[in-house]
Amino acid sequence: MSDNERAETRIAALRSPNEVIDLFTARSNRTHWLKVALLLAPFICGTPPRADTSDAFAYPADLEPDVRFWIRVYTEVTTDQGLLHDDWYLGLVYEVLRFDPSDSPRQREHIVEEAKARYAALLRRFAAGDTDNLTPHERRILDAFGDKTTPTQYREAIERIRFQLGQADRFHEGLIRAQEYEKSISRVLADRGVPPEIGALPHVESSFNPAAYSRVGAAGLWQFMPGTARRYMRVDGIVDQRLDPYSATEAAANLMLYNYRLLGSWPLAVTAYNHGPGGLKRAQDELGTSDIAVIVKRYQGATFGFASRNFYVAFLAALEVDRNAEKYFGPLTHLPETQSTVVPLPDYVAVDALARAFKADLGALRVLNPALRPPVWNKTRLVPRGYELRIPGSPPPADIAAAWARLAPAERFVAQRNDGAHRARRGETLAGIAAASGVTLNHLLAANGLSSARDLARGEVVRIPMPASRADSAAAGVAAAAAATAAIAPPPPEPLPAAETQSASAQAASAQSASAPTAPAAAPALARLPPPPREPVSERQAESTALLPAAAPSGNGDNTDYSVGADNTVVVQAAETLGHFADWSKVSSGSLRALNKLHKNAMVTLGHKVKLDLSQVSAAQFEAARRDYHRQLQESFFATHRISGTENYVVKKGESLWIIAQQHADLPVWLVAEYNPDVDFGEVRPGATIALPRVEAINRQ
């Protein structure tokens, strides 16, 4: 072996940059130096090994050390270990902490705090210039800072000492679980034009655990917050589609498309999945760039913290490990593919009756239908009409038809089972209670002696009427005819009237409450629908959630800027009038017209600025009232509708935003505006292309 070959062999085994520097100083041949430099590139540039990626997800050079850090977290360090590191310069790892598996969370926390204090004391020594008598380990840390570090910089580094729990064992488990969903996820992403790389995102969000709950209220494979989820799927006390990996994947694809349309960059769209697209849009505008590396390193948004800053690099690391799983973990255990068939329900049916009809084990049905909540399994509620039930195996159509025939008319209901009363919580509405209880708003008003909807006081008791069942309300002949017409492919659920809405007042910020109580086997006289679980039911379940801490929750998913400008002006948003501004300011419309020099018949238009009179309320009070108005508007809409996708629309001559919305059933003006934040609809020209969300009416009962 030649000297050069021996040197190259040694380079391949190097573990520290210092060893490389020693080798450089020992050589003088320029050709050899070039060969060594090429081999050394991964050490100097921090380039992690990876498969080829599309240009959309290229590794920015400035972020490569951060990607390498997360690859290490995902592949080398288990949940019985962790890295004590600098939270800004991730390449600076102070120590690998190791825990005894029997250590309690409090004991682990104590070990971490002791280690932080130890390194804080060391950094204070460096700041004071005390660098004598250092151990080899302490010397390596000093060298990592470099010889130009100031005392102030050492003291600032103390505040950046952070602990990251390892994830290697959890990631390995996620790789095995992912096999069950990979084909379905790939198909959904391809159908919607979303890059296939996005399919690796559940590794970061949930380790591919469809039952995962986070401490801030996110749930499922894709970790949707309740407010955002209600835009794309059903989330209530009877059905929570966040827990159904197939429905949640469709919702994630639609959300990711929205992020991309708003931001024009897939790296930013991925980051927005954690931080919210509104925040990333502000970062774009503030820094004048869509470069993810610039935004990650320079954006100083109030809520753009460690999780948001690292979400994209963690995703890139997960993508690298997912693509090269056997390289990092060796051969994987391959799970048998689960066979199931989707059967939409034409009526409300008890889950045990469905199990009998389809000759399915109740436990198997529960595994295949995680979106059904405890009241369904406790038989206090029925599986709702229109629900797409998954049954085991792949039965032929004749067997499915025979199963429907086995259901007696008395087992098929025209409405949800519900009775009793409900004590109103803060922020709830009559419309929301009606939708969540499976009755129409008019029936609820009549049962409570009301002629119209009104605000509810906290603690006020609302009587919930009992919906009529098919067996109770129809003659035997009508019931038999309905049973005879049940088809293999039953009709879609009937849409509820627009007035039937559901409250989404439980915001993510209130996710400090305990898990929802289990519904009793038999409903008492004053039974009420229990809320969906908001937190993990056990410490172990809590540990199986997102690999990164969640950013500030975005509430109902609305990313519009409702703030008041420094000059007491606001930009008019869809569904706002001068009367709204007057109400929220507690002044007259006339005074606002005079302040803005508007004619008595003039209307404020979308995108224009309006000067406010804030003599009666503060800017914060105005903003709170404005946000609450839009929250209620959107909650009412998404209680009975969901976004199923997007399409491009070419504006025709003479069309305005209002006309376009009216031409598309169930499409409100504010939602069109939300999908096109950079379009001036007062100046939109024929031939311009805008994005339109596809909206479907759904049955929430």
Side-chain angles (χ1 to χ4, degrees):
M1 180 182 293
S2 68
D3 289 345
N4 285 353
E5 289 172 334
R6 279 193 292 271
E8 291 165 10
T9 301
R10 184 181 171 193
I11 283 287
L14 291 178
R15 295 187 177 274
S16 74
N18 287 339
E19 291 181 77
V20 178
I21 294 170
D22 292 341
L23 182 60
F24 261 103
T25 57
R27 302 294 179 188
S28 59
N29 183 283
R30 299 186 66 173
T31 302
H32 174 68
W33 275 32
L34 178 59
K35 294 179 70 175
V36 172
L38 291 173
L39 288 169
L40 183 59
F43 292 95
I44 296 177
C45 301
T47 306
R50 62 182 184 273
D52 290 337
T53 61
S54 67
D55 290 340
F57 297 103
Y59 284 40
D62 290 346
L63 300 182
E64 285 173 345
D66 299 349
V67 176
R68 189 173 69 245
F69 171 86
W70 288 106
I71 290 176
R72 187 178 181 187
V73 169
Y74 293 161
T75 63
E76 297 180 15
V77 191
T78 72
T79 52
D80 286 328
Q81 303 168 329
L83 303 179
L84 202 67
H85 66 97
D86 187 290
D87 74 356
W88 192 265
Y89 304 102
L90 300 187
L92 176 54
V93 174
Y94 293 103
E95 185 178 341
V96 179
L97 300 181
R98 293 173 173 82
F99 308 113
D100 189 292
S102 63
D103 285 345
S104 68
R106 179 168 294 184
Q107 288 172 316
R108 290 187 173 203
E109 184 179 355
H110 180 68
I111 292 171
V112 171
E113 292 306 315
E114 277 192 336
K116 285 183 176 180
R118 189 164 62 251
Y119 286 100
L122 180 63
L123 292 175
R124 280 191 286 270
R125 279 183 62 190
F126 293 167
D130 181 6
T131 58
D132 296 330
N133 302 317
L134 297 177
T135 67
H137 177 65
E138 292 169 342
R139 175 65 62 181
R140 281 194 294 271
I141 294 173
L142 180 65
D143 292 342
F145 277 91
D147 55 9
K148 294 184 179 179
T149 306
T150 66
T152 298
Q153 290 171 330
Y154 283 124
R155 285 190 290 269
E156 289 173 346
I158 294 173
E159 303 300 321
R160 298 197 304 268
I161 300 175
R162 180 184 180 274
F163 174 76
Q164 173 60 50
L165 186 69
Q167 303 291 337
D169 48 341
R170 193 174 298 167
F171 203 103
H172 184 223
E173 294 169 0
L175 286 167
I176 296 172
R177 283 192 293 263
Q179 299 171 59
E180 184 173 352
Y181 309 110
E182 284 174 342
K183 291 181 180 178
S184 174
I185 290 174
S186 296
R187 184 172 59 253
V188 169
L189 297 181
D191 287 347
R192 285 162 173 76
V194 176
E197 291 89 345
I198 299 298
L201 191 59
H203 283 301
V204 181
E205 287 290 339
S206 67
S207 294
F208 272 90
N209 179 3
Y213 277 93
S214 80
R215 291 177 175 85
V216 295
L221 201 73
W222 295 87
Q223 289 291 283
F224 271 93
M225 295 295 292
T228 303
R230 288 189 180 99
R231 292 178 160 239
Y232 303 99
M233 47 190 160
R234 177 172 177 172
V235 179
D236 55 40
I238 298 175
V239 176
D240 187 346
Q241 288 184 306
R242 297 180 300 166
L243 302 175
D244 176 57
Y246 305 100
S247 299
T249 295
E250 293 177 357
N254 290 329
L255 175 56
M256 200 64 74
L257 274 178
Y258 170 71
N259 291 348
Y260 178 73
R261 287 179 181 273
L262 185 69
L263 301 167
S265 157
W266 284 114
L268 293 184
V270 170
T271 308
Y273 196 88
N274 174 271
H275 185 66
L280 267 296
K281 191 73 172 66
R282 287 189 288 275
Q284 274 183 315
D285 295 342
E286 181 179 314
L287 298 177
T289 183
S290 295
D291 188 323
I292 183 64
V294 173
I295 289 174
V296 163
K297 294 300 183 182
R298 292 179 52 195
Y299 184 53
Q300 299 293 319
T303 61
F304 196 71
F306 183 86
S308 298
R309 215 170 60 229
N310 280 274
F311 194 76
Y312 182 61
V313 291
F315 163 72
L316 289 179
L319 181 61
E320 151 66 19
V321 179
D322 181 77
R323 284 175 159 173
N324 299 278
E326 293 197 355
K327 170 184 174 181
Y328 291 102
F329 293 103
L332 298 178
T333 301
H334 291 282
L335 301 178
E337 188 172 352
T338 301
Q339 296 292 330
S340 64
T341 301
V342 175
V343 182
L345 302 188
D347 289 306
Y348 295 84
V349 186
V351 70
D352 55 341
L354 288 169
R356 280 196 315 274
F358 287 101
K359 299 181 179 179
D361 178 76
L362 199 60
L365 278 185
R366 189 161 192 167
V367 169
L368 290 173
N369 296 274
L372 295 175
R373 306 310 299 133
V376 173
W377 301 108
N378 293 332
K379 305 178 188 65
T380 58
R381 296 293 183 270
L382 305 171
V383 181
R385 178 181 63 208
Y387 177 79
E388 295 186 339
L389 183 76
R390 284 188 177 269
I391 59 174
S394 302
D399 288 356
I400 296 177
W404 290 124
R406 283 192 287 271
L407 280 171
E411 294 179 304
R412 300 172 63 161
F413 296 82
V414 297
Q416 182 60 261
R417 179 186 296 158
N418 189 19
D419 66 325
H422 174 81
R423 190 174 297 277
R425 296 185 292 271
R426 185 173 62 182
E428 283 193 308
T429 63
L430 285 166
I433 294 171
S437 304
V439 299
T440 67
L441 177 60
N442 288 337
H443 287 165
L444 186 70
L445 293 175
N448 289 274
L450 301 173
S451 58
S452 61
R454 60 169 175 77
D455 292 338
L456 291 174
R458 183 178 182 180
E460 184 175 351
V461 176
V462 179
R463 183 174 179 273
I464 309 295
M466 167 76 86
S469 70
R470 185 182 298 278
D472 293 337
S473 63
V478 174
T485 57
I488 294 175
E494 299 174 7
L496 296 177
E500 295 188 46
T501 59
Q502 176 187 13
S503 172
S505 59
Q507 295 298 306
S510 67
Q512 302 300 321
S513 60
S515 303
T518 301
L526 296 180
R528 56 181 291 248
L529 193 67
R534 298 304 307 276
E535 286 196 295
V537 298
S538 68
E539 184 176 303
R540 175 61 185 165
Q541 190 178 31
E543 289 180 354
S544 66
T545 58
L547 307 189
L548 277 166
S554 58
N556 65 356
D558 182 9
N559 297 289
T560 306
D561 185 1
Y562 295 120
S563 60
V564 176
D567 55 353
N568 284 353
T569 62
V570 291
V571 176
V572 179
Q573 304 297 338
E576 292 182 338
T577 66
L578 199 68
H580 287 121
F581 295 149
D583 288 343
W584 302 332
S585 306
K586 299 189 183 304
V587 298
S588 68
S589 297
S591 66
L592 285 186
R593 287 188 181 278
L595 182 62
N596 289 275
K597 300 179 181 179
L598 294 173
H599 186 270
K600 65 178 182 179
N601 295 323
M603 299 175 64
V604 294
T605 55
L606 178 67
H608 290 189
K609 278 190 176 183
V610 171
K611 181 77 173 178
L612 300 177
D613 176 357
L614 297 180
S615 60
Q616 304 301 312
V617 300
S618 67
Q621 290 172 320
F622 178 92
E623 290 172 1
R626 190 185 191 193
R627 288 193 179 94
D628 188 59
Y629 163 75
H630 285 281
R631 177 184 61 80
Q632 293 187 40
L633 188 73
Q634 293 172 31
E635 286 177 0
S636 295
F637 180 77
F638 288 118
T640 53
H641 297 79
R642 75 180 182 101
I643 298 170
S644 61
T646 57
E647 61 181 87
N648 290 327
Y649 180 81
V650 179
V651 178
K652 301 178 182 65
K653 184 176 181 180
E655 287 186 332
S656 64
L657 173 59
W658 186 85
I659 292 174
I660 293 170
Q662 292 300 309
Q663 290 173 344
H664 294 75
D666 296 326
L667 189 58
V669 171
W670 56 262
L671 190 57
V672 179
E674 185 177 305
Y675 266 70
N676 298 273
D678 295 326
V679 174
D680 182 352
F681 283 97
E683 302 291 336
V684 66
R685 296 181 179 180
T689 300
I690 63 173
L692 291 184
R694 289 196 301 271
V695 171
E696 296 177 354
I698 58 174
N699 191 340
R700 291 285 191 186
Q701 292 187 6

